Amino acid sequence: MQGLKQSIITSLWFMFLTFPIMVARVNTIENTVEWRWMNLAYVGVGVFFLSYVWRWALARKEAKQYEAPSTETAKKQSWLSRAMEEPAVARPALAALFALSVAMPMLVTTYQTNIFISFLLYVVLGLGLNIIVGVAGLLFLGHAAFYAIGAYSYALLNHYFGIGFWIALPLGGLFACLGGIMLAFPVLRLRGDYLAIVTLGFGEIIRLVLENWGSLTGGPSGISNIDRPGLFGMELSVADANIYIYYIVLALAIITMIAVQRLKNSRIGRALQALREDEIACQAMGIDRVNVKLMAFGLGTAWAGFAGVIFAAKTTFINPASFTFMESAIILSIVVLGGMGSNLGVILGSAFLVLMPEYLRAFSEYRMIIFAAAMVLMMVFRPQGLIAPKGRKYHVDDPDLIKEGEA
Amino acid sequence: MDWEFFIELGLGGLTRGSIYALIAIGYTMVYGIIELINFAHGEIYMLGAFTGLIVAGVMGIYGFPAFAILLMAIVIAILYCAAYGYTMEKVAYKPLRGAARLSPLISAIGMSLFLQNYIILAQTSDFLPFPTLIPDFEFMEPIAHIFGSTDLVIVVASAVSMVALTLFIKFTKLGKAMRATAQNRKMAMLLGINADKIISTTFIIGSSLAALGGVLISTHSGQLNFMIGFIAGVKAFTAAVLGGIGSIPGAMLGGLFLGLTESYAAGYISSDYEDVFAFSLLVIFLIFRPSGILGKAPVEKV
């Protein structure tokens, strides 16, 4: 009964709240108002039921907090990450996935290959951002700027000097990496919220410069007629070039995955994770904060540069509008939804963000609002993301050391 | 030196700066109390502008006088934005008290995107014209070409509301409780201050000021779309940082400083790079003086 009353009040409150925006739509030129009363009913009914779900989920979350947390972490891993740990399951699954992704362009149309290219590009972007946000814990809101640096490096080099794709690819990565380090230098002292805002500002500065430096970058109309990557001097048709780019980006995505996975378990990766957990303790342990932070930025943004070069080669036309803050926010939400620090999570996250709206056309209009809501809900109910990242387990074989540890 | 141009830019900067200051207060108050950059604050400002537009549109059809429309648009926009600010806090930030530092910030970014897309879906993603609601005053005639009636209303309204806010914070019991909560939330709670209520009040006050700014600036610029909140939000945040985040007089000072800098930089250097100046100023300040003009440098506890 209590719940019913609460739900009715919430529902009435939201009906009041959404009344002007959802119901009235004015046309100030023709001086007419369109009243959409049905929306009010939808909001009322929707909120009425959602408030039940909301309270149930909050209660569940609170109940969990009082349970003993130590036993929970051991067994509470999703079935997916448990399956991935079992080599007998994981290896054939990975092999099948690999075979499927290699055969993909033969099975689907050019249009769908295109979608998969952008999916893989987001995987690369997400994995790069994951190094900075997930592993090193530095909230970074300017990833799109480095994506833009990569794309513009190739576009400008190609436009002015006729430099080909394969030379531009490492150069784009290098420029983005250098850009990341250049940004990191001044912001080394900042953390948390301040860092987020500075990186956002930096991203916007780059976009505004690209937009306004018309003589070099073509301004808001961008650069067109960028060469597609060449294959031993052969002229490829558009469809074939697409398949070719698909394989390039697939290779890049696989390399990124392996590199990021290896990085996480390396000395640098452990230093980054230590930095995320406690900066002061980390310095006390002798980790050079400056070096490690620069490395995090450089390593993360380099992938954005590679992805940018491929993006420019794929679309053959770029303009600053492709690299707005929205783009950074999408990449960030991929990382956050997937689970910060988890590679598998990033793949699932980009699948969710890129493939879902493509295949569920009805949702494409609602895509951004669903993601935005998912971001908030994720933070409220499952801050660790879809796939919770977990640290690597280290086994000790030396019996003496084990004894020492137990003592 | 062309003095008239100089003064024109200065007055333009004053108008702009007052709006930044109005929005910056919301950022700085929320930051002062829960140490959260409320990313969605700019969107509240945008919602205020849209609510104002709807009220103005509906009343315009029934032929109310411009003055009454302006007053109603402001009152209803303030009412609704206060409600939105309150609800936003309850939905997106309250369940996250005590969570890891990044979580509320990401939640705030999500909220900001949510509100932008809410406007796109429920209204439109195009630019909409906003009716001129402020009549031309006769006594402003001689200087109307550099400082119009709208500018005057914006500056006066901002000044009045800021003075009112300062008095409220200084001399009322609720204001005292807010200052106490900002200094030390736990201690304030021990002394019987309802911290949840104080946080809600903070959001309500910040959102109301943003709504006032939203309606006034829209009638000044004559148009609005769903993105105005993003740019204004980042600039107002810059203003809050310039003045020293957490400090209310700092936000006012920072707003004016940013407005004037932008105006002069646009006038004397290049108007294309207007936003770049604002962002560069933010970056420079965060690097060299993160505590701002009036702020105190935080002491880091180990």
Side-chain angles (χ1 to χ4, degrees):
Chain A
M1 209 48 221
Q2 185 69 28
L4 185 71
K5 195 179 148 199
Q6 265 182 342
S7 284
I8 289 175
I9 290 173
T10 319
S11 148
L12 286 175
W13 173 252
F14 273 90
M15 278 162 79
F16 161 72
L17 208 58
T18 51
F19 171 66
I21 306 282
M22 291 285 278
V23 175
R25 175 149 57 188
V26 294
N27 187 333
T28 37
I29 299 168
E30 289 162 29
N31 269 335
T32 52
V33 186
E34 181 191 344
W35 298 96
R36 298 163 296 176
W37 293 106
M38 276 317 282
N39 282 347
L40 202 62
Y42 297 144
V43 169
V45 174
V47 170
F48 181 77
F49 289 108
L50 283 178
S51 73
Y52 273 104
V53 179
W54 175 264
R55 278 200 309 274
W56 170 77
L58 264 189
R60 193 164 154 258
K61 183 188 162 201
E62 264 167 33
K64 252 192 193 164
Q65 276 172 354
Y66 293 114
E67 276 174 27
S70 55
T71 51
E72 208 182 348
T73 42
K75 61 177 187 215
K76 266 288 282 184
Q77 273 174 12
S78 63
W79 58 271
L80 201 60
S81 44
R82 252 181 302 154
M84 290 304 289
E85 255 170 44
E86 201 68 51
V89 184
R91 282 193 194 144
L94 282 182
L97 206 62
F98 179 72
L100 184 69
S101 39
V102 169
M104 187 67 83
M106 322 299 176
L107 304 176
V108 297
T109 59
T110 312
Y111 171 69
Q112 287 181 330
T113 315
N114 243 328
I115 296 169
F116 275 92
I117 292 174
S118 55
F119 161 59
L120 289 171
L121 278 177
Y122 275 105
V123 170
V124 175
L125 286 167
L127 287 171
L129 187 64
N130 208 1
I131 298 176
I132 305 175
V133 177
V135 181
L138 304 162
L139 189 55
F140 186 59
L141 294 178
H143 211 53
F146 298 93
Y147 190 31
I149 289 181
Y152 269 89
S153 310
Y154 176 45
L156 293 174
L157 286 173
N158 186 269
H159 186 74
Y160 289 106
F161 305 109
I163 285 175
F165 174 80
W166 288 107
I167 301 169
L169 185 62
L171 281 178
L174 184 73
F175 289 148
C177 176
L178 290 178
I181 293 174
M182 259 168 56
L183 164 70
F185 256 115
V187 302
L188 275 173
R189 291 195 307 165
L190 307 173
R191 62 181 73 168
D193 317 352
Y194 283 123
L195 182 75
I197 299 288
V198 170
T199 51
L200 187 155
F202 186 78
E204 285 296 296
I205 289 175
I206 292 199
R207 187 180 63 81
L208 289 166
V209 168
L210 289 176
E211 209 159 89
N212 289 313
W213 196 353
S215 56
L216 179 76
T217 63
S221 47
I223 300 174
S224 48
N225 287 327
I226 304 166
D227 288 342
R228 290 198 168 81
L231 181 64
F232 306 117
M234 277 191 285
E235 278 291 313
L236 292 172
S237 68
V238 173
D240 285 341
N242 238 335
I243 293 174
Y244 182 43
I245 290 176
Y246 172 81
Y247 282 121
I248 295 172
V249 68
L250 180 66
L252 181 72
I254 291 172
I255 294 170
T256 317
M257 270 178 242
I258 296 170
V260 173
Q261 193 60 42
R262 304 275 300 166
L263 176 82
K264 265 199 332 201
N265 294 326
S266 71
R267 195 184 158 81
I268 302 169
R270 288 197 306 271
L272 289 175
Q273 287 169 43
L275 198 72
R276 174 188 66 195
E277 296 304 329
D278 191 327
E279 208 163 287
I280 295 168
C282 178
Q283 277 177 292
M285 297 304 288
I287 292 169
D288 185 353
R289 187 178 60 124
V290 173
N291 265 344
V292 168
K293 271 199 183 175
L294 291 183
M295 237 178 260
F297 274 101
L299 288 171
T301 52
W303 297 114
F306 291 133
V309 174
I310 297 179
F311 175 75
K314 175 201 151 200
T315 52
T316 71
F317 162 74
I318 52 169
N319 66 352
S322 316
F323 309 105
T324 54
F325 171 69
M326 211 56 135
E327 201 64 24
S328 296
I330 289 179
I331 305 168
L332 180 73
S333 46
I334 286 178
V335 174
V336 172
L337 292 184
M340 282 188 265
S342 149
N343 290 350
L344 188 62
V346 169
I347 298 168
L348 283 184
S350 20
F352 181 68
L353 264 108
V354 181
L355 299 184
M356 187 201 78
E358 290 296 342
Y359 287 106
L360 296 171
R361 271 277 158 216
F363 282 112
S364 62
E365 206 180 318
Y366 299 99
R367 173 170 104 143
M368 279 316 288
I369 204 163
I370 290 174
F371 296 148
M375 259 165 107
V376 175
L377 293 178
M378 211 68 172
M379 284 300 116
V380 174
F381 296 115
R382 200 180 157 80
Q384 71 272 36
L386 286 173
I387 306 281
K390 53 183 175 33
R392 183 178 165 181
K393 284 187 193 130
Y394 293 92
H395 292 286
V396 181
D397 293 328
D398 190 341
D400 289 343
L401 281 175
I402 294 176
K403 222 179 281 164
E404 211 174 280
E406 281 167 353
Chain B
M1 187 107 184
D2 182 357
W3 281 108
E4 197 179 313
F5 187 55
F6 183 81
I7 293 168
E8 187 186 334
L9 290 178
L11 291 172
L14 190 67
T15 311
R16 210 188 266 235
S18 339
I19 295 292
Y20 291 157
L22 275 182
I23 313 170
I25 287 171
Y27 277 107
T28 221
M29 283 175 78
V30 167
Y31 194 89
I33 287 189
I34 53 173
E35 302 220 319
L36 162 78
I37 296 176
N38 180 11
F39 237 93
H41 190 60
E43 269 56 52
I44 294 284
Y45 155 89
M46 181 265 296
L47 274 175
F50 264 94
T51 313
L53 173 73
I54 289 166
V55 172
V58 172
M59 287 179 77
I61 291 170
Y62 296 106
F64 283 90
F67 181 70
I69 294 180
L70 178 70
L71 213 62
M72 270 317 268
I74 289 176
V75 168
I76 292 181
I78 286 178
L79 191 73
Y80 266 98
C81 284
Y84 269 100
Y86 173 81
T87 314
M88 184 169 78
E89 195 268 328
K90 287 277 176 272
V91 171
Y93 306 139
K94 191 164 176 250
L96 286 170
R97 298 264 166 78
R101 190 82 196 260
L102 282 188
S103 305
L105 190 57
I106 292 170
S107 175
I109 295 172
M111 205 66 214
S112 155
L113 289 175
F114 182 87
L115 290 176
Q116 279 178 17
N117 285 282
Y118 165 61
I119 290 293
I120 295 178
L121 289 176
Q123 296 285 320
T124 169
S125 59
D126 301 328
F127 269 100
L128 289 176
F130 197 97
T132 313
L133 295 179
I134 300 170
D136 290 328
F137 303 126
E138 266 173 42
F139 61 89
M140 292 294 289
E141 205 62 58
I143 53 165
H145 58 292
I146 53 171
F147 193 70
S149 309
T150 315
D151 299 88
L152 182 76
V153 171
I154 289 178
V155 173
V156 169
S158 319
V160 167
S161 51
M162 279 186 260
V163 168
L165 178 70
T166 314
L167 293 178
F168 171 78
I169 299 278
K170 273 235 163 87
F171 295 112
T172 63
K173 214 172 167 188
L174 198 55
K176 207 178 197 175
M178 287 172 92
R179 279 181 291 150
T181 316
Q183 268 186 10
N184 188 337
R185 175 143 45 112
K186 247 183 212 152
M187 193 64 214
M189 280 163 86
L190 282 174
L191 293 175
I193 293 171
N194 184 347
D196 278 343
K197 207 177 112 192
I198 296 297
I199 294 170
S200 296
T201 317
T202 311
F203 271 88
I204 288 174
I205 293 176
S207 305
S208 313
L209 293 178
L212 178 63
V215 177
L216 289 178
I217 200 72
S218 305
T219 171
H220 182 257
S221 66
Q223 59 175 10
L224 76 172
N225 83 342
F226 72 101
M227 275 306 282
I228 59 169
F230 172 68
I231 265 300
V234 178
K235 294 229 180 118
F237 177 77
T238 308
V241 170
L242 293 183
I245 196 151
S247 141
I248 294 175
M252 302 172 188
L253 202 64
L256 288 181
F257 180 58
L258 180 69
L260 289 173
T261 313
E262 251 188 38
S263 182
Y264 281 118
Y268 285 118
I269 307 173
S270 159
S271 59
D272 286 345
Y273 289 98
E274 191 184 293
D275 293 345
V276 175
F277 294 124
F279 291 125
S280 312
L281 204 62
L282 170 72
V283 173
I284 291 167
F285 252 80
L286 278 177
I287 293 162
F288 293 108
R289 196 174 160 73
S291 51
I293 304 172
L294 294 183
K296 297 184 291 282
V299 181
E300 196 171 332
K301 291 171 204 142
V302 181

